[in-house]
Structures are given as structure tokens and as C-alpha cells.
Amino acid sequence: MVARKFLVRHNDSTFDVDYDTDDGFEVLQYQLFSLTSVPPEDQKIVGGDGDRIISDDSDLRTISEKLQLLSVNDEKPDDDKVNNAAAALLKSDEELARLLQAEEEALMYQHYGNAQDGSELEQRLLPYITQVLLYEDPARQDAARETVPVDDLEEKAFISLAKVGNFKPSKSEQDHAFLLQLLSWFKQHFRWVNAPPCDGCGNNTVGQGMGAPLPSESKYGANRVEIYRCTVCSVVTRFPRYNDPLKLVETKRGRCGEWANCFTLYCRAFGYESRLILDFTDHVWTECFSEHLGRWMHLDPCEAVYDKPLLYEKGWNKKLNYVFAIARDGVYDVTKRYTRKWHEVLSRRNITTEASVSTVMTRMTTNCRRTFTRDSLSLSEQRDRNEKEELERNLHTNEVSSISLPGRQTGDLSWRILRGETGSGSNNASLSTSSCPIRLCVDEHVTRIYNSFSPILSHFVEISISKSEAVEVLQIIKNLLVDLRNSPYKTRRAYLKLSSTHAQLLPCFSELLAALSLKSESSRDESIKICLAGDPVKTSLALPVILDALDETILNIRKYDSLYKDLLSLPLLKLNRIHSGSVLASGEELPFGISTSAFDGVQASKWEEPNGARGCWIIYKLSENQLCELTAYELMSANDVPERDPMDWYGSNSIKPMYSVSSFCSCKFWFLYYADVAENFIRIVEGSNDEGSSWQTLDKQTSQIFDGRFQRKTFKTTALGFSANAFRFRFLRVRDSNSNPRFQIGSIDLRGRLDFAVFSDKAGYLSALGFWKLLDGELFTNTDLNEWFPPVIRISYAALFLNMDRFHTSTAF
């Protein structure tokens, strides 16, 4: 280790940077990011002599202590900077000129080498006009809607919006979220067919060629029928390739043609403007117009991928030529949406000239719109103009290098390899990003649910309830909540019949019901009705959390001989959990392995970093400007693949902030995972009380192994009494980083005690004594308090009692 102090000049400011060279160049970049808000990818670090660029290959132990930080996006006032900017601009212009020249050459070759009329192209497209008109049939739309669990998808759509803090979505946001849930549902219920199973015994079959369609098959547009023979019983199985989406709603199987055909019907059935997308290199998918986005959105039902139009060129390595959108209102050449290599695509467009393509599109679209009203025609033409501008505008934009697009996932592997669609790279099986957005943790309900077990278990101890009876009561509550979960989300209700003994316990569950936005009411038959007390979406969001929490609590109680007061702490009680922060990660799996999944309280979810086995990081920021004493933290292993689990960790100090305080809303809590050495998985747990300018070690652990899935490990910090506004964790290796490139963690829970200052109520300032009297032994669930208390300090009274001697005068909250 070599400690260095750098003087870094940026614009008109100079920054002192204390740095440990063992941390690597990436950490230096993030320290500079935290001070200047210049992202690492935009940084150019120059040595004090001005002629040496500092990079990952530089020896950070010997470089000059005087550095200059430039941003590639900054205006550069001196001559050298202006020249550098001009050179970069010239290079960009030259690249664009080269692409335009290649396009012109491809167009010239088309003019002399391709047919001048577009009759061949038109003949290929005409059958699809008839096809898409089937989607407008009310009977087909009704048949499709009847198979969809609309309420379930609507609930999931609202939950997806609530998870990002949107509890009052607009109509366009609701429609957009529902469409994505429809895509996910379709993926789960439609089956891909390589070779159909035997109709006789269900075993594997092998292809025997093609057969003539039967009348019952021709009725639903099956012009082709594949014949297969069973490898066990020799029974012949027919696989008709139906074109009528009505039949596909029934069979729910096929390949990409059937998938896109049927899914586009579903989209039309729910009122979305939809188009069938035909790729002449043999693929089909869907586009829908998103009112929320104000544009057409790509949806591939086979892959369950949406709004990633470069999936095929960048992920599958497809050599595209023609991509057409066919809809009830016309035919459109949308190839430019799906490529950033237009000059290469042009060289492969050899059916006819571009002028002829445009003529064919105009003629076919005009024919489709011949019965449109003036208003409908005007709306369609305006949408056409907007789309054309969008396609031209995006055609020469840079690829988003931080997005990793996977190779094709559907279809037999050997078939995909033969087609060259498996993508490239070692980690090409998932959609992921290495440039994550800052995400809000909507998890106050998780903390409230965990805290609600305190009055329940405390009462159990107080009345000396037996272990078996405690488990029985909690199991009754769980069964009740399962019934609620399975009932319609807008009108959830369930009935509870308790013995007189158990009925006396019901008051201690009031806080739990409130955390779930539920309430209890008496019924005429002496049962108790449990029903909604507020926003049904909040209940939907909380139910999976409480069910997991009840399972954990029951499991923990069964480990003990009896219940007694000393058990009312971790791991049985999970009080003082920090919540409502913001999260940023080095990478994440889309859409289900995002960073906030580690904080949502649901066992089935997880944060997954596709390239994190040898190093990754995650940053957590507390929502209010409070100091906090980190007393403990919990990690839970994820649902699968133990090789991805974190293993060892070690704490050490750091001096400077690792992320921009200004751009990350005054960062309070940090978890940093990054690659440092290959063979030691080290997690550094540090605290900072000056927003990251200096660090103090809080915990050191080694050789920790998760023995099972969903296993929690609780660790108490060693630096008690140290109040911090930032905490940092580093992970450098997973359990098996040799055969596995991924990192995953099921949950991360921070436990802490806040430093409470004198605060202002509606009348003025209250002293510490007045604060104590106001609390009077009550939890922070009082409605009056909630009006003016930051959510993060609504923690249990137990922590307040422990912290009373640490009150100090400070600025009001």
C-alpha cells in the first residue's frame, strides 16, 4: 500500500485527494467523480507536466502529485483544449462523412444492380395486410381477452409503478405498465416448439418432412404442416403452422411467427395501436405505440424483451436488410430503427431501389387508409412524420455501450448456432447494464412490517405464551393473509374466527395490519373481517413481504425451547431498519435483478450483477440529512446458484468520497463493491460522518459461507458510538469466481440508531426532555408525528431509549 496525496485541478478549483494506490485506478476516478461530478467515462486525467495521460496502466505510485482533470463534455478555453476538442469533432465529422459516403455508394450500386420496380417487394408484403386485419375482428379480440387474467396483470402493473414511487400513475403510465405485464404473461404461457412431443406418449419426436394440410387445419390458415415421428412408439405427430391467431389463442404454441402473430392480436384486443414486424432475415415481432413514451416501442414476445431495437444487430449479430411494419393503417419501412450500421444494411438491400421501396410503402399505405376519416387520416400522417424524424435522428447516434444485449434465447441451441444468432462474449444470455440509473427504494412498508413484530412478540413474552401456541397464532395470521393475497386486489377481504383466548391477542396485531393498509371489523357471525384500509396497491406491495417475514419468524421461534425477553432482538426482531434511500450499482440484470431488489423485503427477488464475480459495487444513500450509528447489518443469500454468493470481507479506512454527493442527493450510505485482487473476496465496511471525506472501519469478517438459500447472516459493527452519514462496503470475489461470472445477493438490511437533535414542531423547538415526554414510550406511528417527521426517523422506541444520552443541540430537522 502507498498512500498518495494528489492536487487535482478542475476548471477553476483545486482538490486535495488522499488516495491508497492499492485501491486501483477506478477508485481514483470515483473519488474525482464525487468531487467534480464528472463521470468516470467522461474523465481525462492529465499529469502535472501536461503531456501524460493517466490511465489504468499508469503506475499510480510514481505519477506526479499534480493532476488536471478534463471532461470530454467541457468547453476548453485554452488553445490546447480547443485544438483537442476540434480534433475530436473533426474525427466525429470524418466518421459521419465516411458513413454517408458508404450509404451513397450502396445507393448507387442499388440503382444499377436492383430492379427498378417494386413489384417483387409488394407481392411479399401483400399477404400480411390480410393477416393484420384479422386482429381487428371483435370475435378474435374477445377470445383473446377471455384468456387473460386482467385483474392480476393490472395489479402487477400498479405494483411495478409503486416500486418506483409512483402510486398515482397517469392513464398513459398505467397502459404502458399493463402492456409490459401482458408481454411477461404471454412469455410464460405460450410455448416454443422445436419438435412437438408425441401425441401418443409424450416422448421426443424427429422430423419426417412436410405433409398436406387437412381441411380442419386449412380452416385456420395452416398452409404448411410439419410431420414428426415418435422415437419410442413410432406414432406420427402433425404440427400445423397455423396463421389464424384465433387458433393460436387456443394452441398457445409455435415459433416466432406464431408468437408474434398471436401476441399482436392480444395487443390489439387491449386497445394498443399495434404492428406486426417482418424481418426479411427470418424473424417476426411486434411494435406498439406507447402514449407514455410518445413513440413506437419494440416488443419481442419470444424473448420477452421490450424497447431494445438493437437486440438483433448488436445482440444476435444479425445482418439485417429489410424490416417492415405492417398494420391496419399501412406498411412502413422501419429498418432504420433496428440498425446503427445503415451503410452496411444498404449494401444488402438488393430486392429493389430505395426509391421503389418508398413508392411501394406509399401505395400500400394509401390503399389501407382509403376509408379513414379526415381526422384519423390527419392523426396518422402526423404520426408518420414524427416517426420518420425519429428514425433519421437516431440513425447515426452512438450505440449505448453500457447495455449488454443477449444472443437469441429461444429455439434449440444447435439451431441458433447454425443461424449465428447466439451472440458473442461469455455472458450473452441476459439483458444487463453497466450504467445503472439511481433508483429509489420504496421500502418504508418493509421497515414498518419488521417493526410490527415487536408488540406481537413482546406480548407473547409478557403473557408467557408457549412456543407451540405462538407458532399456531402466527400460522393462523399467515393463512388469513394468504387468503387475502388470493382475493381480488381491489376488494380484498377475509374472515377470521378465533377462540376466546386467541381473540385477546388480536390488539397486538393492529400495527401489523396498519403496515399492510388493512383494518379489522366485527361481523354479525362473531367472526372478524379483515379488509382494505387504504390504497389497495400498498397492500399488494406489502403482502409478499409479510408472508416471507412470517415464515422467517415461525422458523426462528421453532429453534428456541421457549420465548423469553432476551430473544427480543436480532435475528428474531428486526428493528431499526433503514429505508427509503436511493441506490446506484455498477451493473444489474434487467428487468428483475435491479439494484433495489436487494432492499424490497421479498425473498424471491435479488440484486444480480452479471459481471460482478471478481468485483462490483452498490451504493445506498439515506434519504434525510441525519447522522446514524450503524449497529448491525444483515445479508441474505439469494434463491439459487451458491457460487454467486459473497464470501469474505474485511474493513479498512478510506479518505475521500466515492461518488458525487451533489449529483447523488447528499449521499449518506454507501456500499462499494469493486475489483482489487483476484483471489481475496474482501468486503470493507466503513463509516463516514462528513459525507465521505474520511472513513472509519466499522466491521471485519472473514470466511463467511452461506449454507443454504434465503439464509440470513447478521453482523454487529465494532465501532459502536461512531455516528456516520455514510457507510461503505466492498466485495471483490464470489464463492466461485472461476466458473461463474456473476454476483448476487438476496437482500441487504442496515440497522441503525439515528443521532437525534433538538427538532422543531409546529410551535417551535422542543428540548430533549420534551422530546422524551412526547414519545412517552410510543412507537413512531402516531399520525401527528408522521406529518412532520422524516420517514427515516420513525424507528422503534427501543432504539430511542438506548440513544437518549446522545441527544445534542443542532439545527432543526
Side-chain angles (χ1 to χ4, degrees), residues 627 655 688-695 724-726:
L627 290 172
I655 305 300
S688 172
N689 57 14
D690 51 13
E691 296 189 342
S693 292
S694 60
W695 297 93
N725 56 21

Side-chain angles (χ1 to χ4, degrees), residues 157-169 173 439-445 535 537-538 541 580-581 596:
F158 278 117
I159 289 175
S160 70
L161 293 166
K163 283 185 175 181
V164 296
N166 188 354
F167 287 92
K168 301 293 182 182
E173 289 171 329
R439 299 186 184 276
L440 174 67
C441 285
V442 181
D443 62 339
E444 182 181 359
H445 62 286
D535 186 348
V537 176
K538 291 185 177 181
L541 194 62
S580 302
T596 47

Side-chain angles (χ1 to χ4, degrees), residues 618-653:
I618 187 170
I619 299 170
Y620 183 95
K621 187 266 305 180
L622 199 65
S623 60
E624 296 292 335
N625 297 327
Q626 299 296 315
L627 290 172
C628 180
E629 178 184 331
L630 185 69
T631 57
Y633 62 92
E634 279 189 317
L635 300 182
M636 185 186 75
S637 60
N639 62 322
D640 59 6
V641 195
E643 292 80 8
R644 302 173 185 171
D645 289 344
M647 194 171 67
D648 303 335
W649 53 90
Y650 163 82
S652 67
N653 282 338

Side-chain angles (χ1 to χ4, degrees), residues 78 102 117 168 225 282 288 328 342 359 412 543 755:
D78 60 62
D117 70 273
K168 301 293 182 182
V225 177
D282 193 25
C288 288
R328 65 187 181 95
W342 178 241
T359 299
D412 181 73
L543 278 173
D755 261 3

Side-chain angles (χ1 to χ4, degrees), residues 27-92:
V27 173
L28 177 61
Q29 287 183 299
Y30 275 97
Q31 287 188 227
L32 295 178
F33 187 8
S34 68
L35 295 169
T36 65
S37 297
V38 178
E41 63 270 19
D42 291 340
Q43 292 177 7
K44 180 180 179 181
I45 305 173
V46 182
D49 51 13
D51 61 357
R52 181 180 180 186
I53 304 298
I54 309 302
S55 68
D56 196 32
D57 297 327
S58 302
D59 187 348
L60 299 178
R61 297 170 297 179
T62 61
I63 62 174
S64 170
E65 67 177 12
K66 296 182 178 180
L67 304 176
Q68 183 179 10
L69 174 65
L70 306 178
S71 169
V72 297
N73 295 321
D74 282 347
E75 295 185 3
K76 303 174 178 61
D78 60 62
D79 291 342
D80 288 342
K81 295 174 184 176
V82 170
N83 290 337
N84 290 339
L89 184 60
L90 178 61
K91 181 178 179 181
S92 175

Side-chain angles (χ1 to χ4, degrees), residues 186 190 224 239-243 248 253-263:
F186 187 86
F190 213 83
R224 296 178 298 142
F239 177 36
R241 303 300 301 277
Y242 293 116
N243 284 310
L248 296 174
R253 70 173 190 170
R255 302 196 187 110
C256 64
E258 290 92 341
W259 280 66
N261 187 5
C262 191
F263 180 68

Side-chain angles (χ1 to χ4, degrees), residues 338-571:
Y338 295 92
T339 182
R340 291 297 178 268
K341 301 175 182 178
W342 178 241
H343 62 293
E344 294 181 14
V345 170
L346 271 176
S347 68
R348 297 190 289 267
R349 287 165 71 98
N350 52 22
I351 296 178
T352 187
T353 64
E354 293 307 298
S356 295
V357 172
S358 181
T359 299
V360 170
M361 299 296 102
T362 300
R363 183 165 58 243
M364 298 182 75
T365 298
T366 300
N367 188 53
C368 289
R369 296 177 179 178
R370 64 186 184 276
T371 61
F372 278 27
T373 65
R374 179 178 298 180
D375 289 344
S376 296
L377 187 61
S378 176
L379 177 63
S380 296
E381 290 174 348
Q382 181 59 52
R383 187 174 286 175
D384 292 348
R385 288 190 291 269
N386 293 342
E387 181 176 31
K388 185 176 180 180
E389 291 174 2
E390 175 203 340
L391 296 182
E392 293 297 333
R393 182 172 60 250
N394 294 336
L395 184 59
H396 296 296
T397 58
N398 294 328
E399 295 182 18
V400 182
S401 58
S402 61
I403 298 292
S404 174
L405 297 172
R408 188 170 191 161
Q409 302 301 301
T410 47
D412 181 73
L413 178 59
S414 60
W415 176 76
R416 286 181 278 141
I417 293 174
L418 184 65
R419 292 165 61 96
E421 295 176 348
T422 55
S424 58
S426 60
N427 189 32
N428 62 350
S430 63
L431 177 63
S432 61
T433 178
S434 59
S435 181
C436 306
I438 296 171
R439 299 186 184 276
L440 174 67
C441 285
V442 181
D443 62 339
E444 182 181 359
H445 62 286
V446 181
T447 298
R448 292 186 65 194
I449 287 170
Y450 289 170
N451 285 345
S452 71
F453 280 91
S454 178
I456 297 171
L457 297 180
S458 296
H459 188 64
F460 285 180
V461 170
E462 182 181 341
I463 64 175
S464 301
I465 193 173
S466 68
K467 180 180 78 171
S468 59
E469 192 173 4
V471 169
E472 180 185 356
V473 170
L474 293 179
Q475 191 64 54
I476 291 172
I477 297 299
K478 179 189 172 183
N479 293 340
L480 170 77
L481 295 175
V482 169
D483 291 342
L484 282 168
R485 182 192 61 186
N486 295 335
S487 62
Y489 84 99
K490 293 179 183 177
T491 58
R492 292 192 198 276
R493 65 172 63 90
Y495 293 88
L496 186 63
K497 288 192 175 182
L498 297 173
S499 66
S500 57
T501 302
H502 288 167
Q504 296 175 7
L505 300 175
L506 191 60
C508 68
F509 285 90
S510 59
E511 187 178 337
L512 185 148
L513 293 178
L516 301 176
S517 295
L518 296 172
K519 62 182 179 180
S520 62
E521 296 178 352
S522 299
S523 299
R524 293 179 181 178
D525 61 354
E526 297 184 357
S527 64
I528 299 168
K529 182 174 77 170
I530 307 297
C531 57
L532 294 171
D535 186 348
V537 176
K538 291 185 177 181
T539 303
S540 298
L541 194 62
L543 278 173
V545 179
I546 183 59
L547 290 173
D548 286 345
L550 280 167
D551 283 339
E552 281 193 54
T553 303
I554 291 171
L555 180 64
N556 285 330
I557 289 176
R558 283 174 171 160
K559 295 177 182 178
Y560 307 117
D561 294 331
S562 61
L563 291 176
Y564 49 92
K565 187 175 182 180
D566 289 348
L567 293 179
L568 300 180
S569 60
L570 283 171

Side-chain angles (χ1 to χ4, degrees), residues 198-201 204-205 228-238:
C198 174
D199 286 342
C201 66
N204 294 334
T205 61
Y228 293 84
R229 185 177 298 277
C230 181
T231 57
V232 176
C233 67
S234 299
V235 167
V236 171
T237 295
R238 301 171 65 84

